[in-house]
Structures are given as C-alpha cells and as structure tokens.
Amino acid sequence: IVAAIILFVLPSKTNAPTTSSQGQTSTTTPAQSVVAQIPDVIVVASPTIGSAVSSTTVTIAGTARGPWYFEASFPAEILDAQGKVLAQSPAQAQGNWQTNDFVPFSVKLSYPKQPSGSAGTIVLKKDNPSGDPAHDQSLSIPVVFK
C-alpha cells in the first residue's frame, strides 16, 4: 500500500542535479534554463549555461556564500572563444557579505562587440587575497554572443 501511494503521489519526474567535470552542478526542469553553480557555494541566476548574451554587455546576477567575497566583492570576467579576456570587473555584494549565508551579487561587464553566434565564457572567481592556490575556486559559464 505504501509503495502504491508513493508511486501515485510523487511526481513521475524529478529534477536531479548533474555535476560536470569542473565541479559545476546544474539543475534542469522542463522549459527552464540550466543554472550554473557550485553546490552550497555560489549560484548564478543569470545568465544561464549556454544562453545568448548581448554582443557588447552582460549583467551577471546570483548569490554566493559570504566566504566567496573579500571586502564585499569578487573578480568576474568574460572571455572570447580563444580565452582572451574581453572585460573584467568586481562583482559586488548586494548585502552584508560578512556571513556564511548566501548574499546576492551583481556585475555588469561591457566589452568590445563580438561576432554574432561566437562563443564566450563568463568566469567568476572566489576572491583569494592570500594568493594561496589551495584557496582558489572559480565557476565558468559558457555563453553565446548574439
């Protein structure tokens, strides 16, 4: 009886997270985009993985745990298909970053016009003022310029 209830009460499809080789986890649901994240560390709401972004500007928004920041910011950059840095700027915390909780962030990057349909990558880096490579962490989000 319990098994029958579980089969009929629970939805037939669940949204299971998937992890890439770079440690990124994404969750997909029908008719939704793939969200880039490092589980329990940083979640990027916009842009999503593989989404089309402007050929000259992109606004990146999401939430990250307080330790991802240093002095209320962390490095953000956008690269072209060859890995050349097109723009970089600090993403700013939108609240008290001196916490272990998630804190919203936002950053707008403006860069030279890119060919429509060409690939790019947004890279968000944990701020690491110590310079110790053991504390390095980053999240890469592939995008397409429109």
Side-chain angles (χ1 to χ4, degrees), residues 123-144:
V123 180
L124 305 178
K125 299 177 181 178
K126 177 181 178 185
D127 206 329
N128 180 12
S130 73
D132 182 350
H135 298 289
D136 284 346
Q137 198 171 17
S138 66
L139 176 65
S140 295
I141 307 163
V143 294
V144 177

Side-chain angles (χ1 to χ4, degrees), residues 16-85:
T18 57
T19 304
S20 75
S21 60
Q22 294 130 351
Q24 299 175 30
T25 298
S26 59
T27 303
T28 59
T29 57
Q32 284 187 337
S33 300
V34 180
V35 174
Q37 64 179 312
I38 297 174
D40 205 35
V41 177
I42 184 170
V43 178
V44 179
S46 175
T48 56
I49 294 174
S51 64
V53 298
S54 164
S55 64
T56 59
T57 60
V58 64
T59 299
I60 307 157
T63 61
R65 292 216 180 257
W68 187 268
Y69 301 87
F70 179 72
E71 298 297 332
S73 69
F74 61 84
E77 58 189 18
I78 189 162
L79 314 174
D80 66 12
Q82 289 73 40
K84 177 184 170 196
V85 176

